[in-house]
Amino acid sequence: MRLVMDTVEEEFVEIPIPIPSSTSSSSMAKRPCPSQNPRMELENLLYQFLSLSDRPSLSLDLSFENLLQSMPPDTDLIDRALKMGSLLLDAAKHSSRKRASNHNSIVWPLPPDLTFKIFSMLDTQSLCYVSAACSFFSKCAKDPLCYENLDLTTLVPKVNNAVVATMIQRAGKALRSLKLGVVPATACSPGFCQPMVSTIRKAIVEAPNFSWNDKRSRQGRESSVLTRCCLSPLSGDGGAPGALLRKLHLYNIERMDSTSLCGALSACPSLLDLEIVGIHVELRQTLMSVSANCHLIERLFFESSRTGRDDSLKAQTCSELVNNCPNLTSLSLRGFKLHDCKVRILVKGFRKLKYVDFSSSYSITGNFLRNLGNCNGGNLLEVLILRDCMHLKEMEVIRFLTAILAGDFKLLMHLDISNREGLACEADWYHRCYSSNSNMPIKQVLEARPDMRLVAEYPSEGSYAETFDAEMNSDISLQFSSPTSDGSIFMSTSESSYNSDHGSGNEEGQDAVIYGESSDEDNNMNL
Amino acid sequence: MSKTVKDAIETIPTDEINSISLSLVRSEILTKVIEYCKKHNSAQMSDVDLMDWDVEFANVHYTTLFDLVLSANYMNINCLLDLVCGKIADMIKGKTPGEIAKLFDIKDVSTYEEDN
C-alpha cells in the first residue's frame, strides 16, 4: 500500500544549523515569512534545501560530515538524515507517479470500457505487449473480454502449460476460441494446398536455433513445452471455460495423446470448429469423442501425424458420427487410410455437408463417388478435394466427371483431383496415368460448368520415377482382381507387416466390397 | 445511425425540436461524424468501395481517432465505433511495449510504483 505522504501533519522539528558567518551571496536567500505558519515554513525550508541542487560544487556529504563532527558524539543526526532522506525520496516518487498518471490520462482519454473494446480486437501477443506498456493498460488487459479469442500458436515451441492456464483462466466463460501449438510461417491456410504436417516438420527442423536433436536432448527441460495436460484448464472451474468454447485448433503438440484430447473434448459441448494437425491421436478415438461430446460440430479438420498409417476408422464410428453430429458442413480428413465404404457413409450421411477434403488419403479409390449425385448427402457438395490420393483411380474420376456433365452435383464449385504422382491406373495402382495419356473430360466439364473451378494437376510422363515415395511402397500393398463381367469391382486390401496397434488390422483386412453400377446399396449402411 | 440522436428525436415531440444538444462533441469532430453517417446512409457506393472509403476516413492522427471514439460512443453509433477502435487496435498490433508507450506518449508509471 502506498505511504501517506502527509508530512505537513508532522511536527516541525527544530534542528540547530550553524550558519557560516561569512554568508556567500546566495541567490536563494531566506524568504521572509513573518506569519510563522508552520506549513509555509516547512515548504520554504524544503524549497531552500532543494535549491541546493543548483549549486555547481555541491558536496553534501562533506557538509554533513563536518556537521556530524561538530555535534556531541551521541547525536542521532545520522538516523535523522536517513529518515528524512527516505521520506523525501518517497514523496518525490509519489508525486512523480501522480503526474505520470495524470499525463497518461490526458494522452489516453478513453475510459476503461472503451479501452477493453480496443484491446479485445488485439491478437494475444499484442495484448501481452500492450499490458506491459503501463499499469492502466495492464489492468484493462486483464478483462475477460480481451481473451475471447486466444491465439497461442507460435513458430517454435515457446508457450508452456502455465501460459495456457493463465490465459484460459483470464478468459473464464468468455472464452470462445483457442488456437494452440506450433505453426511455422510457411504453412498456408488449410484448404487447397499441400498437407500441413510435412511442411511443418520440415520447417521446424529448419527453424533457427532449433532442431529435432535439440528437442530430444531437452526432454528434461519443461520450460517451453506443452505437455499432455495443457488443455486441462478447459475443464477447470466447473468446466466454465470449455462450456462455451466454439473453436479449438491444435497444431503439432508432441506430447498430446488420445486420452488427454478426448478429455478436453468432453469439456467442450458447444464446439463448432475443431482442427487437429500433427497430433499423435487415433482417428477413431477422436471421432468417437466428438460423436459423444460435440453434437453441434460444424467443421472437422484432421490431419494425421503419421501420414497413411492411421487405419483406425471403422464403419461404426462413421455411422455414429453421422447420427450424433448432424450439423457438420465441412469435413477434412487428410493423410489417413480411408476405405471407400466408410467414406461413403460419411459423405452420404451428413445432410448438410458442403465441403469435403480427403487429400493425401490412402486406400480410397474414388468408388465412393458413384451414384452420389442423386441422393441426400451428395448433391449439396460445393467443394471436393481429393488431392494426392495415391489410390484414386482415373477411371473413377472419369466416371465422376461424366456424372457432372450429366447434370449431377449442381452446387459443386471447386473440385481438386490433382495428384503429384498421377492418378492410379485401372488394373494396378502402381501404374500411373499421366496428363498426356488422359481420357478425362476435363475440357468438357470446364465448358459445361464455367462457374466451377477444376484443379487437375498431374505430372507429365517420365517425372514419375523420381518422385515415387519409397515409404509408400513398403508400408502398403493393395491388390486388385480383374473386373467382373457386369462392370462391378471386387476389391480387397491386405495389411502390410507394419505395426497396427489398433487391433483392427485382421478383421478389417479382408473387407470385400462390391458396388453395382446402379444398385442401391443403402440397405447395408446405417443411415 | 446514431442511437442517441434517434432516442432524442423519439422522446421529444417533433414540432418542438429546434436543436438537440450534443454537449460532449466538438464541432470539428461532429463534422467528421456527419460525413461518415452521410456516406454510409447513401447507398451509392458498393461495399468494397465503402470499405476503402472507411480506411481513408480512419487514416487520421490518433488524437482525432480518440475524439471519434468518444463521440461515436456518446452518440451511440456502433459501426463508426467499431471502425475507429479497430484502427487504434491496428496501430497497437505488432509493436513492443516500448514502442506502444512511445507512440501514444505514455509514461511508464510502474517504474515508480512501490507495489502493483
Side-chain angles (χ1 to χ4, degrees), chain A residues 402-436:
Chain A
T402 313
I404 293 179
L405 283 172
D408 284 345
F409 303 103
K410 286 195 169 47
L411 297 177
L412 195 62
M413 285 293 123
H414 182 106
L415 174 63
D416 188 343
I417 36 172
S418 308
N419 200 312
R420 62 176 188 268
E421 319 276 0
L423 290 175
C425 283
E426 176 53 40
D428 181 356
W429 73 274
Y430 195 97
H431 287 126
R432 313 305 287 189
C433 306
Y434 305 109
S435 43
S436 50

Side-chain angles (χ1 to χ4, degrees), chain B residues 12-78:
Chain B
I12 305 172
T14 346
D15 30 316
E16 285 179 24
I17 291 185
N18 290 320
S19 58
I20 300 170
S21 83
L22 295 168
S23 49
L24 289 180
V25 186
R26 286 202 332 267
S27 52
E28 314 93 73
I29 299 299
L30 187 60
T31 316
K32 281 214 84 137
V33 172
I34 290 174
E35 188 191 339
Y36 178 86
C37 293
K38 273 191 179 157
K39 203 72 185 183
H40 276 248
N41 270 338
S42 74
Q44 285 164 3
M45 294 172 86
S46 69
D47 282 340
V48 175
D49 289 338
L50 205 55
M51 273 170 62
D52 288 339
W53 186 88
D54 279 349
V55 169
E56 248 330 287
F57 178 81
N59 195 11
V60 291
H61 193 258
Y62 68 82
T63 46
T64 316
L65 287 174
F66 287 146
D67 287 330
L68 281 170
V69 168
L70 291 167
S71 307
N73 186 44
Y74 175 66
M75 292 177 71
N76 218 325
I77 308 173
N78 281 333

Side-chain angles (χ1 to χ4, degrees), chain A residues 13 16 18 39 51 53 57 99 184 187 189 198 204 217 233 268 290 301 305 315 384 430 446 477-478 490 501 525 527:
Chain A
V13 175
R39 185 176 178 153
S51 310
S53 66
S57 55
R99 266 154 195 74
S189 67
S198 54
I204 288 181
S217 66
C268 305
V290 171
F301 183 102
S305 59
L384 178 59
Y430 195 97
L446 286 171
S477 64
L478 193 70
F490 182 86
D501 54 350
M525 310 300 175
L527 284 177

Side-chain angles (χ1 to χ4, degrees), chain A residues 36-287:
Chain A
Q36 296 301 315
N37 183 348
R39 185 176 178 153
M40 278 200 63
E41 281 225 42
L42 179 57
E43 283 176 17
N44 277 334
L45 266 180
L46 209 51
Y47 179 68
Q48 287 191 35
F49 176 67
L50 291 172
S51 310
L52 288 175
S53 66
D54 286 340
R55 285 200 189 175
S57 55
L58 179 72
S59 54
L60 205 57
D61 46 350
L62 204 58
S63 305
F64 185 64
E65 189 53 43
N66 287 342
L67 178 60
L68 268 181
Q69 281 169 13
S70 70
M71 299 287 285
D74 61 346
T75 182
D76 60 352
L77 213 55
I78 291 181
D79 289 335
R80 286 172 188 249
L82 287 171
K83 177 183 169 184
M84 297 304 283
S86 165
L87 287 176
L88 189 59
L89 183 62
D90 287 342
K93 282 188 180 174
H94 174 79
S95 296
S96 171
R97 269 202 311 275
K98 213 162 116 175
R99 266 154 195 74
S101 279
N102 285 345
H103 169 90
N104 285 351
S105 63
I106 292 170
V107 297
W108 185 269
L110 305 177
D113 57 338
L114 290 175
T115 311
F116 298 154
K117 194 173 166 69
I118 293 174
F119 286 4
S120 69
M121 295 178 179
L122 291 175
D123 58 287
T124 314
Q125 168 146 98
S126 297
L127 190 62
C128 295
Y129 280 170
V130 89
S131 77
C134 78
S135 57
F136 175 65
F137 283 178
S138 174
K139 286 192 196 111
C140 286
K142 290 197 171 81
D143 185 76
L145 199 60
C146 306
Y147 294 91
E148 212 176 43
N149 299 309
L150 287 180
D151 185 351
L152 298 171
T153 55
T154 54
L155 288 179
V156 290
K158 254 200 297 187
V159 170
N160 65 3
N161 286 12
V163 172
V164 179
T166 309
M167 296 278 174
I168 291 180
Q169 196 193 16
R170 284 191 188 163
K173 55 186 192 265
L175 187 63
R176 291 292 176 272
S177 137
L178 175 61
K179 294 186 190 176
L180 188 59
V182 180
V183 185
T186 50
C188 42
S189 67
F192 308 135
C193 53
Q194 300 296 329
M196 284 171 73
V197 173
S198 54
T199 326
I200 286 170
R201 285 245 169 82
K202 196 160 161 292
I204 288 181
V205 168
E206 292 168 354
N209 304 324
F210 184 79
S211 73
W212 284 116
N213 289 334
D214 271 355
K215 189 162 195 281
R216 284 196 197 105
S217 66
R218 253 186 14 214
Q219 287 300 325
R221 276 189 262 161
E222 298 286 334
S223 54
S224 55
V225 171
L226 290 167
T227 70
R228 58 185 297 277
C229 308
C230 59
L231 290 179
S232 53
L234 286 175
S235 323
D237 195 22
L244 295 171
L245 186 68
R246 301 258 151 79
K247 190 190 282 199
L248 181 62
H249 289 193
L250 302 170
Y251 305 96
N252 299 297
I253 301 174
E254 275 290 313
R255 297 191 181 192
M256 183 160 282
D257 57 9
S258 293
T259 319
S260 47
L261 178 60
C262 295
L265 289 175
S266 66
C268 305
S270 311
L271 205 61
L272 296 178
D273 179 344
L274 178 62
E275 187 166 316
I276 295 178
V277 173
I279 312 262
H280 306 307
V281 291
E282 190 197 65
L283 180 62
R284 182 176 67 97
Q285 282 189 30
T286 314
L287 289 181

